[in-house]
Amino acid sequence: MITRIYEDYRRLSTNTAREMLRVVLEKPEAVLCLATGATPLGAYAEFVRQAKMQRIDFSGIRFVSLDEWVGIPPSNPGSCHYFLNRHLFQPLQIAPAQIYLFDGMSADLQGVCSRMDEHLEQLGGIDFLVVGIGLNGHIGFNEPGVAFDNKAHVVDLHPITKTTGQKYFQSETLLNQGITLGIRQLMDAKTVILMANGAKKTNIIQQALEGTVSNALPASILQSHPNCLAFLDAEAAAQLQDSSRRA
Ligand code: F6R
């Protein structure tokens, strides 16, 4: 894992966007899997801005879901669907045929998982993955205790995820389950960027990057990914022992 520490959120975002741009330019048929949430917002805004300015052709790029809340419709601004549409698919005018997302409203969630597994296999896996990290160390909705050989699965959300997840919703929302790609699929991604910013993430980032690799802290598995970049701002990196990694 290569760690890069940026002075602030703006630089973290710009540099993440640069990596994203590099992928879509180098591989016009790339498969992207992009986390939702607060962390990557600045990166996606910069990515869209640059992509439009450079008139990048997205017609061959494919997108797959990382995760979704179960029981939350795409029309809800707190859903991952809504986020991806608003911040990426609409501004980049991505055609529906290029997008494959989890349907968290389905009555057959196991079927949703199997179809995602099949779809991802047909695509040849993820080329480029962006993940954030939860305060409990989750990536996607791979919660503490998750099996590292899992593929797409439905998960009972961890109490911290239920609580912190409220920030995405306009009013208090019942969050019990999620649906997520599994660690095996994330570890198969050719390139991974783990992003974190802010003082709230300082402690969990230190454990994830420098602690023991364990499913008690799912993000720690990324230490053993052959091509994972940890992009951090100075606040999130504040407790890392090795601070020689400033960008
Ligand atoms: C969202 C996701 C989550 C978030 C994580 C951090 O699609 O997969 O794992 O990346 O909870 O969320 P923020 O960025 O809001 O702190």
Side-chain angles (χ1 to χ4, degrees):
M1 183 187 267
I2 296 172
T3 305
R4 297 218 192 112
I5 303 168
Y6 298 100
E7 205 174 314
D8 54 25
Y9 181 68
R10 193 179 62 76
R11 286 179 180 81
L12 165 69
S13 301
T14 315
N15 281 282
T16 307
R18 188 173 300 156
E19 295 299 322
M20 294 172 70
L21 288 161
R22 200 207 316 258
V23 174
V24 295
L25 287 170
E26 277 176 14
K27 189 167 182 186
E29 71 289 1
V31 177
L32 307 189
C33 177
L34 304 174
T36 63
T39 310
L41 272 174
Y44 297 166
E46 178 61 14
F47 174 64
V48 167
R49 198 179 71 80
Q50 288 286 341
K52 281 184 165 173
M53 218 163 64
Q54 298 177 36
R55 295 171 194 253
I56 293 177
D57 176 11
F58 276 86
S59 57
I61 301 289
R62 280 78 50 86
F63 294 86
V64 293
S65 269
L66 172 59
D67 50 11
E68 185 56 277
W69 308 100
V70 167
I72 305 293
S75 57
N76 187 320
S79 70
C80 300
H81 258 85
Y82 189 100
F83 177 105
L84 293 168
N85 274 327
R86 171 161 177 215
H87 297 290
L88 292 160
F89 303 152
Q90 277 167 11
L92 294 173
Q93 297 183 302
I94 307 295
Q98 296 169 249
I99 303 167
Y100 195 89
L101 303 184
F102 283 124
D103 175 6
M105 296 298 289
S106 172
D108 174 22
L109 293 171
Q110 294 310 327
V112 169
C113 291
S114 316
R115 286 192 292 279
M116 177 59 92
D117 291 344
E118 278 164 30
H119 184 72
L120 205 48
E121 232 158 81
Q122 278 163 16
L123 290 176
I126 299 165
D127 289 299
F128 189 82
L129 168 68
V130 174
V131 288
I133 183 169
L135 294 176
N136 57 4
H138 74 194
I139 45 174
F141 283 146
N142 288 281
E143 301 283 43
V146 70
F148 278 163
D149 61 355
N150 258 354
K151 292 186 174 184
H153 61 283
V154 177
V155 53
D156 290 334
L157 296 170
H158 186 271
I160 292 183
T161 306
K162 293 183 189 179
T163 313
T164 55
Q166 295 301 326
K167 70 179 175 180
Y168 308 122
F169 294 89
Q170 286 156 350
S171 57
E172 183 146 352
T173 303
L174 195 64
L175 301 172
N176 273 329
Q177 287 189 310
I179 184 164
T180 185
L181 292 184
I183 295 286
R184 178 148 37 131
Q185 291 156 321
L186 306 188
M187 288 299 281
D188 279 345
K190 294 179 189 69
T191 303
V192 182
I193 293 193
L194 166 67
M195 294 184 77
N197 71 290
K200 274 196 288 194
K201 299 285 171 75
T202 309
N203 188 27
I204 199 73
I205 276 295
Q206 194 280 326
Q207 292 177 57
L209 269 57
E210 297 182 336
T212 316
V213 174
S214 152
N215 67 350
L217 202 164
S220 64
I221 188 69
L222 294 174
Q223 291 180 33
S224 41
H225 189 282
N227 191 21
C228 178
L229 307 164
F231 277 17
L232 314 171
D233 75 352
E235 285 187 325
Q239 272 175 29
L240 292 181
Q241 310 295 310
D242 178 3
S243 56
S244 63
R245 294 172 288 203
R246 270 163 219 290

